[in-house]
Structure formats: C-alpha cells, structure tokens
Amino acid sequence: MLRAHAGTIKLIIEGFRKYNRVKLGLDWLQILEECKNNVKKQIAPLLKTLNQFESDLGVGAGGDPIKQVDLAAEKAITETLLEKGLSFTFISEESGIKSYGAKPQQHYITADPIDGSTNLTRGIPFYATSIAVSKKPELRTVHTALVADLFHDVTYTAVKGEGAKRNNQEIKPSKQTDLAEAVIGVDLNTYKAREIVPHITNLIEQTKHIRHLGANALELCYVADGTIDAFIDIRGKLRATDTAAAWLIIKEAEATITTLEGKPLNAKLDPREKLTFVASANRRIHNIILNLLKA
Ligand code: IPD
Ligand code: CA
C-alpha cells in the first residue's frame, strides 16, 4: 500500500518536472534523446563496414584523426537540433566551435559525437555518444546531459537539480571505501606514461581491480551508477568536450569529481581545453585516492 503510494508520488513529481521543463522553454532531455536516436540510425550502416580502410579525413578540433563514424554522428546531432529550428553554438571534438541560427549564444551544445571511436572501429563493444547543454561555454553551467552506450542501448541522463538516471531509473554511486576491493579505472593512454606512472604507483599497488575500458564519458557514468568505484585521468589530455555531459551525471548522482588538488572541476567548453580529474563514488574513497596520488 505504502509502496504504491510512493510510486504515485514519484509519477506526479516526474510529471511536474517535465511540465516545468516544457513551460520554461525546451524539453532538452527529449531533444537529446532524439539526437541519440538519430546518431544510432546514422551510424548503423557504418557499423557493417568496421575495420575497413578509411580515406584520410584529417584531424579534428580536439587533435585526433577524424573517422567517418565521428562525422556521421556529429551530423546526426546538428541535424536533429536544426530540424527543431534552434539557434545554438555547437562545441564539438570534431569540427570545433560553430554557430547556428540567429541567436547562437542562446544555447551551447557540447558534444563528443563518438567517445571510444577506436573501440567502435575495432569492434570492441564500448563506445558512447555524449551531449551536454549549457547556458554558457563553461562546464559548471551545464544543465542537461546525456551519455548513451550505443552498443548496449543504455542511456545515462541528468538534469541539474533533478538527479541522474540510467534508462530512466535513478542512479547512485557505490558506498565502497575499501581500496583493495574497489574497481578503479585509470586512463593510461598516453605517450607520457613515464611522467604519469610515478603518481599512480601507490594507488595501483593497493588496488586489486584496475581497468581502462576506452571511452571516458561512459567510464565516468560507471562511477555515477556504482558499476565501478572511481575513475582517474591525470594525463592532462582529455578534452572538455568528452567530459561535459558525464560531469553533470556524476554531480547529479552525488558522486565526487575534482582536480588532483581536490578542487571543483571547471573548464571552458572548447575542444582544445584539456582536463585532469579524479572521480569517485564517495568522499571517503576520494580522499584516500587523492592522498595516494599525492604521495
Ligand atoms: C577517447 C576515449 C579514451 C581516452 C582517449 C579519448 P575518443 O575518446 O575517451 O578512453 O583514453 O584519450 O581520446 O577519441 O574516442 O572520443
Ligand atoms: Ca570522439
């Protein structure tokens, strides 16, 4: 009886939030869902020709070689937004910063059209599309976010002040505080491994389960929903475009994300802007990790 009552209240709150989103302007969650669906549709034919030779498409604004699938995903996002008649500034890992419509400063859309492109082209089933909406080109103003695992059809979303969800179900991070039992992601994808390794040796020595799955936006969502207990990227290489959406999902799930010095993360939303961060399930394990990284 009580449970049924709680269910009804939850539905009323959800309905009220949706009504507010629409009343206040745009239902960005709905728009981002449509962008994701279009990305899935547009990249589907390309998934059939994985591992084939690709002509040189140059280097994207974020500094990595562009793949056909990245461009198809990016086009799917901008086309969906344009079909809605929106004015916006598009900040993307691939084509950099572009203005659309008469009032491009109205909305900032920051995207990594495909996060984990190498996984995708090699047939490793772990890649995502990541889209964030903000009022300014600044990380801390992101108010709506979506990161979708395109292979497993799992979508993470967050709206500022409304919590984070995985396939529409509220998520929370783990309560793990024991490093030995924790699953910790560490991105070591760098030619500067010699510089990074001394900082993480103490942590690795105390942790049994170290992972890097190859799509940072999704790995951050894994911290948000308790799949893993922390994710660390101290290479100074990860673009703000790849992190923007997952940042809000982490915050709204009430996980923790800071700089190496324990400061709140903020950045200009620009594909040339690089971030260093430690994201953890809870404050306790976060402090333990920060101390070990300092050592
Ligand atoms: C890459 C992934 C990967 C990380 C690379 C990123 P991309 O994103 O997030 O995990 O190690 O540094 O470039 O290039 O596939 O969008
Ligand atoms: Ca990408």
Side-chain angles (χ1 to χ4, degrees):
M1 176 69 179
L2 258 181
R3 194 178 286 173
H5 194 55
T8 314
I9 292 173
K10 217 169 157 193
L11 275 178
I12 293 171
I13 293 172
E14 281 300 321
F16 184 68
R17 282 176 172 166
K18 189 169 169 69
Y19 169 78
N20 256 346
R21 287 202 291 271
V22 177
K23 196 180 81 180
L24 290 174
L26 295 156
D27 188 349
W28 276 108
L29 261 193
Q30 177 59 31
I31 295 171
L32 296 189
E33 282 281 341
E34 288 176 37
C35 289
K36 172 201 74 178
N37 290 338
N38 202 17
V39 168
K40 276 173 71 178
K41 194 166 126 198
Q42 300 295 332
I43 69 165
L46 297 170
L47 299 181
K48 294 186 185 129
T49 57
L50 289 175
N51 273 326
Q52 287 185 10
F53 173 78
E54 279 202 21
S55 49
D56 186 0
L57 297 172
V59 171
D64 285 348
I66 301 178
K67 297 183 167 75
Q68 231 187 330
V69 72
D70 297 320
L71 292 182
E74 181 176 271
K75 193 158 161 271
I77 298 169
T78 49
E79 272 178 10
T80 309
L81 298 169
L82 288 170
E83 268 165 25
K84 306 221 158 279
L86 294 167
S87 281
F88 58 94
T89 301
F90 193 63
I91 304 166
S92 165
E93 187 202 327
E94 308 307 337
S95 60
I97 303 177
K98 283 190 177 168
S99 299
Y100 292 91
K103 292 181 183 164
Q105 275 100 337
Q106 251 180 359
H107 309 290
Y108 290 85
I109 314 292
T110 302
D112 182 1
I114 300 290
D115 179 40
S117 306
T118 303
N119 279 354
L120 185 154
T121 51
R122 292 299 188 99
I124 300 169
F126 195 79
Y127 49 86
T129 191
S130 160
I131 320 172
V133 190
S134 59
K135 294 209 173 94
K136 292 183 184 156
E138 206 186 337
L139 184 64
R140 65 170 173 218
T141 69
V142 171
H143 59 75
T144 312
L146 174 144
V147 174
D149 174 338
L150 298 168
F151 185 87
H152 300 99
D153 222 354
V154 172
T155 303
Y156 294 89
T157 51
V159 175
K160 194 171 183 194
E162 293 186 18
K165 292 182 175 170
R166 177 188 192 268
N167 287 350
N168 285 321
Q169 300 294 317
E170 198 182 328
I171 51 171
K172 286 285 169 227
S174 82
K175 294 191 164 55
Q176 183 63 259
T177 54
D178 180 2
L179 260 196
E181 291 307 317
V183 178
I184 308 235
V186 182
D187 194 329
L188 270 179
N189 242 344
T190 172
Y191 292 122
K192 293 185 185 158
R194 268 169 223 276
E195 283 172 37
I196 310 293
V197 167
H199 293 281
I200 55 168
T201 312
N202 287 326
L203 174 69
I204 293 180
E205 278 176 352
Q206 295 198 33
T207 316
K208 200 160 57 180
H209 312 287
I210 295 286
R211 301 285 184 277
H212 178 224
L213 305 172
N216 281 17
L218 213 43
E219 284 161 282
L220 283 171
C221 292
Y222 273 22
V223 177
D225 78 350
T227 304
I228 63 176
D229 306 301
F231 183 68
I232 294 151
D233 189 342
I234 58 167
R235 301 169 300 158
K237 187 180 161 195
L238 195 71
R239 295 164 289 261
T241 44
D242 302 33
T243 322
W247 172 83
L248 185 68
I249 293 165
I250 283 270
K251 301 284 284 181
E252 285 297 322
E254 293 174 352
T256 302
I257 185 164
T258 70
T259 64
L260 252 185
E261 295 75 35
K263 302 233 169 73
L265 202 64
N266 193 26
K268 196 172 149 202
L269 291 174
D270 184 305
R272 287 158 302 188
E273 187 81 9
K274 306 290 162 64
L275 290 173
T276 280
F277 59 78
V278 177
S280 320
N282 54 71
R283 264 281 155 197
R284 210 148 148 219
I285 199 162
H286 193 72
N287 290 339
I288 296 172
I289 293 171
L290 286 185
N291 280 331
L292 283 171
L293 292 173
K294 257 185 238 149

